């Protein structure tokens, strides 16, 4: 049995008195595409942000390729990572694509893509540019490489964000509702790039409302309700024969 790329065990996360995650277990192996579904407030984005410690879990364990992210309980600040160096090293293996693009507006498209390889990974500038150009060609934006984010559509910005995420050669890609801020006519271009990544065997955790993507591309679907896993399984099984009444109701309203 291979070691999971990501293993989450009994994960809890609270904000003050609000417990958002109430004990989540999740495993992703190399090449898995796991779609995380649920209504607003179910804990989907919080779960994703805990994986790369943009949010610090209240309790539970996260392992990346079998390596436990070590935590300590600081009496003043609550749970904290033991080693910032460990967090930075693990984050360099996990790339996140956000709902709001998060591009640097003062940098051109290609400068956005080469920023992390140069300044985080130490890749020589010329090498980073060659790779960035290839990635932009791949997402259909090579001819926009010298544009600035303000000159791009939402769909183009998100494809640049995907190219930027790929530039650090991540082991896992985390997508936090990557199409929800886009006009409907722009969603298809972004989903097409994501489908291509899935076909390549990329390991992906995807928080999404795109039911067709979840059904057709995922190797596994997880449905969260109020911070707990309400339904999970292979998409062809749970979409055709859901056991949870809440999931039945959810897919009837959004699918």
């Amino acid at each position: 049995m291979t070691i999971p790329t990501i293993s989450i065990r009994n994960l809890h996360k609270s904000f003050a008195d609000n417990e958002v995650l109430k004990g989540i277990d999740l495993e992703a192996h190399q090449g898995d595409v796991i779609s995380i579904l649920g209504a607003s407030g179910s804990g989907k984005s919080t779960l994703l942000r805990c994986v790369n410690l943009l949010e610090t879990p209240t309790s539970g364990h996260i392992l990346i390729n079998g390596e436990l992210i070590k935590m300590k309980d600081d009496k003043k600040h609550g749970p904290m990572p033991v080693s910032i160096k460990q967090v930075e090293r693990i984050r360099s293996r996990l790339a996140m694509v956000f709902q709001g693009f998060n591009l640097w507006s003062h940098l051109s498209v290609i400068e956005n893509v080469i920023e992390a390889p140069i300044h985080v990974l130490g890749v020589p500038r010329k090498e980073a540019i060659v790779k960035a150009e290839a990635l932009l060609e791949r997402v259909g934006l090579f001819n926009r490489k010298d544009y600035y984010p303000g000159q791009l559509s939402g769909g183009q910005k998100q494809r640049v964000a995907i190219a930027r995420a790929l530039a650090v050669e991540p082991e896992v890609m985390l997508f936090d509702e990557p199409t929800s801020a886009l006009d409907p006519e722009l969603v298809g271009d972004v989903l097409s790039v994501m489908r291509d990544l899935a076909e390549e065997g990329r390991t992906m955790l995807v928080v999404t409302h795109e039911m067709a993507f979840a059904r057709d591309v995922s190797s596994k679907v997880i449905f969260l309700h109020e911070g707990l896993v309400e339904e999970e399984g292979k998409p062809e099984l749970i979409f055709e024969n859901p056991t949870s009444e809440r999931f039945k109701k959810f897919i009837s309203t959004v699918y």
Side-chain angles (χ1 to χ4, degrees):
M1 188 73 174
T2 58
I3 296 173
T5 305
I6 293 177
S7 180
I8 297 170
R9 302 174 185 169
N10 196 27
L11 193 72
H12 290 251
K13 174 61 182 177
S14 297
F15 297 94
D17 294 330
N18 181 24
E19 189 177 22
V20 177
L21 301 178
K22 302 175 182 177
I24 301 290
D25 295 311
L26 182 153
E27 278 194 356
H29 290 263
Q30 178 64 41
D32 281 349
V33 178
I34 299 181
S35 288
I36 303 168
L37 311 179
S40 296
S42 60
K44 308 182 301 296
S45 293
T46 299
L47 171 60
L48 210 63
R49 291 171 67 86
C50 282
V51 172
N52 65 355
L53 293 182
L54 288 175
E55 299 290 354
T56 305
T58 304
S59 63
H61 301 289
I62 299 173
L63 296 91
I64 307 297
N65 285 327
E67 179 182 353
L68 177 67
I69 300 177
K70 297 173 184 174
M71 305 293 291
K72 62 183 179 182
D73 193 13
D74 184 284
K75 290 183 180 179
K76 186 176 181 181
H77 300 100
M80 294 179 65
V82 170
S83 169
I84 296 302
K85 285 189 175 181
Q86 184 195 33
V87 171
E88 290 173 347
R89 178 167 48 77
I90 285 175
R91 273 188 187 150
S92 71
R93 292 146 59 184
L94 309 171
M96 191 156 181
V97 177
F98 297 88
Q99 176 181 338
F101 322 128
N102 285 27
L103 299 177
W104 290 290
S105 60
H106 65 290
L107 297 180
S108 69
V109 164
I110 197 159
E111 287 169 338
N112 265 278
V113 178
I114 67 175
E115 181 77 4
I118 290 173
H119 296 290
V120 177
L121 303 181
V123 176
R125 183 177 178 84
K126 285 185 178 180
E127 182 182 329
I129 289 173
V130 169
K131 183 175 180 181
E133 289 178 340
L135 289 170
L136 290 170
E137 180 73 44
R138 181 174 167 188
V139 300
L141 288 172
F142 178 78
N143 63 342
R144 297 287 194 275
K145 66 177 183 175
D146 295 320
Y147 284 43
Y148 285 81
Q151 299 172 293
L152 303 178
S153 70
Q156 290 170 334
K157 290 177 186 176
Q158 196 59 290
R159 283 184 282 152
V160 172
I162 292 172
R164 182 180 63 179
L166 288 168
V168 298
E169 299 184 358
E171 295 175 25
V172 180
M173 295 192 71
L174 309 173
F175 291 87
D176 189 8
E177 302 203 33
T179 61
S180 63
L182 303 181
D183 293 331
E185 65 270 18
L186 302 176
V187 169
D189 289 341
V190 173
L191 290 179
S192 177
V193 172
M194 293 172 64
R195 286 171 184 265
D196 288 345
L197 294 175
E199 288 174 5
E200 285 177 8
R202 294 270 177 183
T203 307
M204 299 160 58
L205 300 186
V206 185
V207 171
T208 185
H209 287 292
E210 300 292 339
M211 294 299 108
F213 178 91
R215 183 198 64 207
D216 299 339
V217 181
S218 306
S219 53
K220 185 176 183 179
V221 172
I222 291 176
F223 173 66
L224 296 188
H225 176 72
E226 295 184 353
L228 290 167
V229 176
E230 174 83 11
E231 180 98 71
E232 63 180 308
K234 291 186 178 297
E236 61 269 24
L237 293 179
I238 72 167
F239 276 103
E240 294 300 323
N241 296 294
T243 59
S244 160
E245 288 300 323
R246 290 194 185 96
F247 187 56
K248 287 181 186 178
K249 185 175 180 181
F250 176 79
I251 57 178
S252 72
T253 58
V254 300
Y255 190 30

